[in-house]
Amino acid sequence: MKNKIVRIKDIAEKAKVSTGTVDRVLHKRGRVSKKVEEKILKIIEEMDYEPNLMARALGSNKIYQIAALIPDHKSDSYWYAPKAGIEKAEKDLKQYGIVVQQYVFDPYDVESFIKNASQLTKDNPDGIILSPIFYRETLPFFEKWKVAEIPFVLFNTQITEYEPLSYIGQDSYQSGFLAGKLIHYGQPEPCSVLIAHIDEEISNAAHLLKKEQGFRNYFSQNNLEHQYKILRIELNRANAALFITQLDAVIDSTPDMASIFVTTSKAYEIARHLEQRHIKHIKIIGYDLLPQNLYFLNKGAISFLINQNPKGQGYWGIYQLTDHLVFKKEVPIIKYLPLDIVTKENVNYYKDDEDTVYLDI
Amino acid sequence: MKNKIVRIKDIAEKAKVSTGTVDRVLHKRGRVSKKVEEKILKIIEEMDYEPNLMARALGSNKIYQIAALIPDHKSDSYWYAPKAGIEKAEKDLKQYGIVVQQYVFDPYDVESFIKNASQLTKDNPDGIILSPIFYRETLPFFEKWKVAEIPFVLFNTQITEYEPLSYIGQDSYQSGFLAGKLIHYGQPEPCSVLIAHIDEEISNAAHLLKKEQGFRNYFSQNNLEHQYKILRIELNRANAALFITQLDAVIDSTPDMASIFVTTSKAYEIARHLEQRHIKHIKIIGYDLLPQNLYFLNKGAISFLINQNPKGQGYWGIYQLTDHLVFKKEVPIIKYLPLDIVTKENVNYYKDDEDTVYLDI
DNA sequence: TATGTAAATGTGTGCGAATACATTTAATTG
DNA sequence: CAATTAAATGTATTCGCACACATTTACATA
């Protein structure tokens, strides 16, 4: 009942030492005799001491430089949201001494990535957040950061070598699985279904393959293989004519195609094309709430979007780093964000208004 | 570039007054000459002063008593989650001087509500959070709290008279609308659909009616009225035999019934009964991730659950009060939580593990 | 002009922790 | 055993703000 807040001073009194000694124990700064250390630790345990985070942040009066290595949203608007999330987090956490320096690279240019990553490394920040979209080129930097003991957080794309402080993103496999369910639920009759990978070099994009695999497994695990024929296609918008030709080819040669699952955020490209051809019976499921996708979602051309919450990913990344750096909290190694099913009727609550605050129970 | 953090002291220096005077202006404590006040306000504006919230909370060293007037979860397990959310928030916000006192009433006993509300009022807390499930009986207390200038936050159930500090919950109408979509999407062929209200006195539960209305409007707005026949039923578990009789009656008299929309968190009761009768072709859509619901969701007996995030509601309520009391922030009058569509394939990411943290971008 | 008084303004301390620095104690050496 | 030094422990100040209290100013009144 009467749980008064325990302060360092209280611990010190009880242990009959000074606050300085307690502090040393709390921060493992050494220079404390084993005997005393043990006694203090025991008392801390007993009294259930919890540091006052505000006093801590105030007293240490430190500035933490966090580096954000992110793709340029001018090259791919998907990256606008993580950037926004990062900036929101910076604003919220400024009071704890968090400062974020952005290093923006061109997602279609490896050199640009390397250049920025090098500069970042030279600047020696206290923490790093990045989306490691270039697998091979990222590894050497991980190595360096490990050596320099700079914690780094990954978002959007997961790389398991050189264990990061934390990964924030979705379970790609499960999201594909979920897409399978949504298509199956809306299409109980036998039909053909198309998986469309758009705009990514599939060989280098492990998460797209995972999505595909999850999707396929939904049908196989539910013994639906004989009812659903699953096709796949890789498209690239760089060559618009080819894009259309290839898409038309598969559509025209598959009269019973009922649904298309787009594994990237480019579902709107398919929707637009189907609209131009006045095809209405093909349902589309895609990812992410880009304005273009929302347009077709509201028109009914896209049935569902799975929200990867890119803004939340950015926000969370900074948040986790802050927890680690400022509050010395333990941070979950993997933070899977929910697989939000977004449709015309609930999209309003996922669209991002500036005031949304991320909470986490 | 060089935006050093602005402190009260900086303002005082620039205005050539003492920090005390600036403090008085900041807190509108009066006792400052008009001329000086204006000057200081101008400087505050110019320098874009933002108070250091930690220093503030630390310096004021105040304890805020928040009263939580909540239904007993022993009477209805739905209320377990909000309570958990409130307790989580209390734990997280303890460091800011937040203490929550719970007043638990029996949701099936108006007297119990009144008794607790009276006691609460007598205890004169700094803020109140409640779910006003008894409409009529709540209003007089709102009146009192308004007079006493105690901010109160509503969750789960919205009452618009006596504007509260904030309402946290879902848009019931829209959630019904969404349920309509989900049923329509999974059931494109003409059929009958049942709306089931379980365990609530419908006349007093405005939000259930809103759900029903939203549900019906989905079909009418999409010109589906002639394809879908919508039935409704009110059931009460208090009389188990009657419950079953009534349910069976409507099922047996409606051979083309394809879906049931349960407007409360009791979808599992329907699912259980259908299972006992070995009926598998009827799809169920309900609310909330109660363990019993999850059981049938994972079995496939319940197709979708709309997550009202009751834990989040509780958490958010306390959080908003804290923002208001401690940080003097402006708080959104309505905080609609998203209409999460939960199905077997994504339920894992909505289930509540203890460590989840609510974030809010 | 002296005095009383309210309004206006200034000052000092504490909140809980971090940290630099000061002091005490113990161990080691010639 | 005193001198030296390293290890262990203690103390004072700071962070930015709130708030109680102290002080100064302005103005009215006798």
Side-chain angles (χ1 to χ4, degrees):
Chain A
M1 211 70 242
K2 201 154 190 207
N3 61 73
K4 263 198 85 177
I5 277 177
V6 181
R7 302 161 304 171
I8 285 187
K9 205 174 155 192
D10 302 318
I11 297 169
E13 275 167 18
K14 192 155 219 165
K16 287 189 280 221
V17 296
S18 72
T19 59
T21 305
V22 177
D23 181 75
R24 258 163 245 134
V25 172
L26 279 172
H27 294 82
K28 296 174 189 152
R29 296 196 218 281
R31 321 214 132 241
V32 179
S33 73
K34 201 127 203 170
K35 218 171 100 188
V36 174
E37 175 168 12
E38 269 168 26
K39 195 212 285 185
I40 291 178
L41 282 174
K42 209 173 123 202
I43 291 178
I44 287 174
E45 184 78 16
E46 277 172 20
M47 302 183 79
D48 193 27
Y49 168 75
E50 296 227 359
N52 182 321
L53 301 182
M54 295 176 303
R56 169 172 291 178
L58 194 62
S60 73
N61 197 30
K62 205 183 265 170
I63 298 257
Y64 294 94
Q65 291 278 355
I66 293 182
L69 184 57
I70 51 178
D72 192 346
H73 66 273
K74 278 179 223 116
S75 298
D76 181 346
S77 59
Y78 173 73
W79 299 108
Y80 183 78
K83 178 182 154 79
I86 287 170
E87 286 168 359
K88 176 72 160 52
E90 181 182 16
K91 202 178 141 211
D92 285 3
L93 300 172
K94 192 175 72 180
Q95 50 181 309
Y96 298 102
I98 294 293
V99 174
V100 179
Q101 171 75 39
Q102 296 186 13
Y103 298 78
V104 181
F105 64 91
D106 180 346
Y108 299 112
D109 177 7
V110 181
E111 281 311 314
S112 157
F113 173 80
I114 295 179
K115 204 180 117 206
N116 275 279
S118 303
Q119 182 59 49
L120 176 161
T121 308
K122 207 181 293 173
D123 293 349
N124 192 40
D126 300 298
I128 299 167
I129 178 172
L130 77 160
S131 177
I133 59 173
F134 298 111
Y135 174 74
R136 254 182 314 277
E137 291 75 10
T138 308
L139 292 183
F141 287 103
F142 282 3
E143 177 71 39
K144 284 185 195 170
W145 300 336
K146 275 281 173 199
V147 172
E149 293 190 312
I150 304 173
F152 55 94
V153 162
L154 270 36
F155 72 95
N156 196 69
T157 309
Q158 195 172 6
I159 290 185
T160 43
E161 290 94 325
Y162 297 98
E163 191 171 275
L165 176 68
S166 185
Y167 162 72
I168 296 135
Q170 275 187 337
D171 184 340
S172 300
Y173 174 89
Q174 194 63 23
S175 80
F177 201 85
L178 174 63
K181 154 73 167 253
L182 290 175
I183 282 179
H184 174 219
Y185 178 78
Q187 200 66 44
E189 305 302 315
C191 62
S192 289
V193 176
L194 178 65
I195 301 173
H197 300 294
I198 300 181
D199 257 22
E200 301 255 1
E201 210 186 312
I202 197 75
S203 66
N204 205 21
H207 58 291
L208 295 194
L209 290 177
K210 283 192 193 153
K211 285 176 183 176
E212 176 171 345
Q213 200 176 7
F215 187 77
R216 289 179 182 276
N217 281 9
Y218 175 84
F219 292 95
S220 54
Q221 283 184 24
N222 289 283
N223 299 315
L224 298 164
E225 289 148 311
H226 48 294
Q227 294 172 51
Y228 293 84
K229 192 173 165 212
I230 298 177
L231 310 170
R232 99 198 280 271
I233 192 172
E234 290 179 35
L235 296 169
N236 201 299
R237 292 183 305 164
N239 184 335
L242 185 61
F243 183 98
I244 290 175
T245 312
Q246 292 181 324
L247 183 54
D248 276 343
V250 68
I251 290 174
D252 293 333
S253 65
T254 320
D256 72 332
M257 184 189 298
S259 301
I260 300 179
F261 169 42
V262 183
T263 59
T264 64
S265 60
K266 307 298 185 301
Y268 61 91
E269 294 288 353
I270 305 280
R272 183 187 295 140
H273 185 65
L274 292 188
E275 185 181 60
Q276 278 165 4
R277 287 196 54 189
H278 303 288
I279 299 175
K280 295 194 166 174
H281 66 283
I282 298 182
K283 292 171 178 165
I284 300 175
I285 291 187
Y287 284 88
D288 296 316
L289 310 185
L290 303 193
Q292 301 98 314
N293 280 339
L294 294 181
Y295 173 78
F296 288 108
L297 186 75
N298 281 320
K299 267 193 152 181
I302 293 177
S303 299
F304 290 104
L305 291 169
I306 296 175
N307 180 23
Q308 308 200 68
N309 200 350
K311 186 172 177 186
Q313 290 186 23
Y315 189 96
W316 262 103
I318 301 295
Y319 195 89
Q320 303 266 54
L321 278 170
T322 305
D323 262 356
H324 177 75
L325 292 171
V326 180
F327 302 126
K328 324 284 188 221
K329 281 194 199 163
E330 274 211 27
V331 163
I333 291 171
I334 294 188
K335 166 86 189 164
Y336 279 135
L337 296 183
L339 301 169
D340 293 327
I341 302 171
V342 179
T343 179
K344 187 179 165 184
E345 286 75 17
N346 71 344
V347 63
N348 271 328
Y349 308 103
Y350 291 101
K351 266 191 309 199
D352 162 52
D353 48 282
E354 273 314 301
D355 293 334
T356 313
V357 174
Y358 287 101
L359 264 200
D360 182 10
I361 282 192
Chain B
M1 211 69 245
K2 200 157 190 203
N3 66 74
K4 264 196 83 178
I5 277 177
V6 181
R7 301 160 304 170
I8 286 186
K9 205 177 157 192
D10 300 318
I11 297 168
E13 275 168 18
K14 194 155 218 164
K16 285 187 281 219
V17 296
S18 73
T19 60
T21 304
V22 177
D23 182 74
R24 257 163 246 135
V25 172
L26 278 171
H27 293 82
K28 296 178 190 150
R29 296 197 218 280
R31 323 210 131 242
V32 179
S33 75
K34 201 128 205 173
K35 219 171 98 190
V36 174
E37 175 167 12
E38 270 169 25
K39 196 213 285 186
I40 292 178
L41 283 174
K42 210 173 123 202
I43 291 177
I44 288 175
E45 184 79 17
E46 277 173 19
M47 302 183 80
D48 194 26
Y49 168 74
E50 295 226 358
N52 182 323
L53 300 182
M54 293 175 305
R56 169 173 292 177
L58 194 62
S60 73
N61 196 31
K62 204 183 264 169
I63 298 259
Y64 294 94
Q65 291 279 355
I66 293 182
L69 184 57
I70 51 178
D72 192 347
H73 66 273
K74 280 180 222 114
S75 298
D76 180 346
S77 59
Y78 172 74
W79 299 108
Y80 183 77
K83 178 183 156 79
I86 287 171
E87 285 167 0
K88 175 72 158 56
E90 181 181 16
K91 202 179 143 213
D92 285 3
L93 301 172
K94 192 176 70 180
Q95 51 181 304
Y96 299 102
I98 294 294
V99 174
V100 179
Q101 170 76 41
Q102 296 186 13
Y103 298 79
V104 181
F105 64 90
D106 180 345
Y108 299 113
D109 176 8
V110 181
E111 281 311 314
S112 158
F113 173 81
I114 294 179
K115 203 180 118 209
N116 275 280
S118 303
Q119 182 59 47
L120 177 161
T121 308
K122 208 182 291 171
D123 293 348
N124 193 38
D126 300 298
I128 300 167
I129 177 173
L130 77 160
S131 177
I133 60 172
F134 297 112
Y135 174 74
R136 255 182 314 277
E137 291 74 11
T138 308
L139 291 183
F141 287 103
F142 282 2
E143 177 71 40
K144 284 183 195 170
W145 300 337
K146 274 282 172 198
V147 172
E149 292 190 314
I150 303 173
F152 54 94
V153 162
L154 270 36
F155 72 95
N156 196 69
T157 309
Q158 194 172 6
I159 291 185
T160 43
E161 290 95 324
Y162 298 99
E163 190 172 276
L165 176 68
S166 184
Y167 162 71
I168 296 135
Q170 275 187 337
D171 183 340
S172 301
Y173 175 88
Q174 194 63 24
S175 80
F177 201 85
L178 174 63
K181 153 73 168 253
L182 290 175
I183 282 180
H184 174 218
Y185 178 78
Q187 199 65 43
E189 304 302 315
C191 62
S192 289
V193 177
L194 178 66
I195 302 173
H197 300 294
I198 301 182
D199 257 24
E200 301 256 2
E201 209 186 314
I202 198 75
S203 66
N204 207 20
H207 57 292
L208 295 194
L209 290 178
K210 283 193 194 152
K211 285 176 182 174
E212 175 171 345
Q213 199 176 10
F215 187 78
R216 289 180 182 275
N217 280 9
Y218 175 84
F219 291 95
S220 54
Q221 283 182 24
N222 289 284
N223 298 315
L224 298 165
E225 290 147 308
H226 48 293
Q227 294 172 50
Y228 293 84
K229 192 171 166 213
I230 298 177
L231 310 170
R232 96 198 281 271
I233 192 172
E234 289 178 36
L235 297 169
N236 202 299
R237 294 182 304 165
N239 184 334
L242 184 61
F243 183 97
I244 290 174
T245 312
Q246 292 180 325
L247 183 54
D248 277 342
V250 67
I251 291 174
D252 294 333
S253 65
T254 320
D256 71 332
M257 186 189 297
S259 301
I260 300 179
F261 169 43
V262 183
T263 58
T264 65
S265 60
K266 307 298 185 303
Y268 61 90
E269 294 287 354
I270 304 280
R272 183 187 295 141
H273 186 65
L274 293 188
E275 183 181 61
Q276 278 165 2
R277 287 196 52 189
H278 304 287
I279 299 175
K280 295 194 166 175
H281 67 281
I282 298 183
K283 293 171 178 166
I284 300 175
I285 291 188
Y287 284 88
D288 296 315
L289 310 186
L290 303 192
Q292 301 98 315
N293 281 340
L294 293 181
Y295 174 78
F296 287 106
L297 186 74
N298 282 321
K299 268 194 153 180
I302 294 177
S303 299
F304 291 103
L305 290 170
I306 296 175
N307 180 22
Q308 308 199 71
N309 200 350
K311 186 170 176 185
Q313 290 184 26
Y315 189 96
W316 263 105
I318 301 294
Y319 195 89
Q320 305 265 54
L321 278 169
T322 305
D323 262 355
H324 177 75
L325 293 171
V326 180
F327 302 126
K328 323 286 187 218
K329 280 193 200 165
E330 273 211 28
V331 164
I333 291 171
I334 294 189
K335 167 86 190 164
Y336 278 136
L337 296 183
L339 302 168
D340 293 326
I341 302 172
V342 179
T343 179
K344 188 180 166 184
E345 286 75 16
N346 70 344
V347 64
N348 271 328
Y349 308 103
Y350 291 102
K351 264 192 310 199
D352 164 51
D353 47 282
E354 273 314 302
D355 293 335
T356 314
V357 174
Y358 286 102
L359 265 198
D360 182 12
I361 283 195

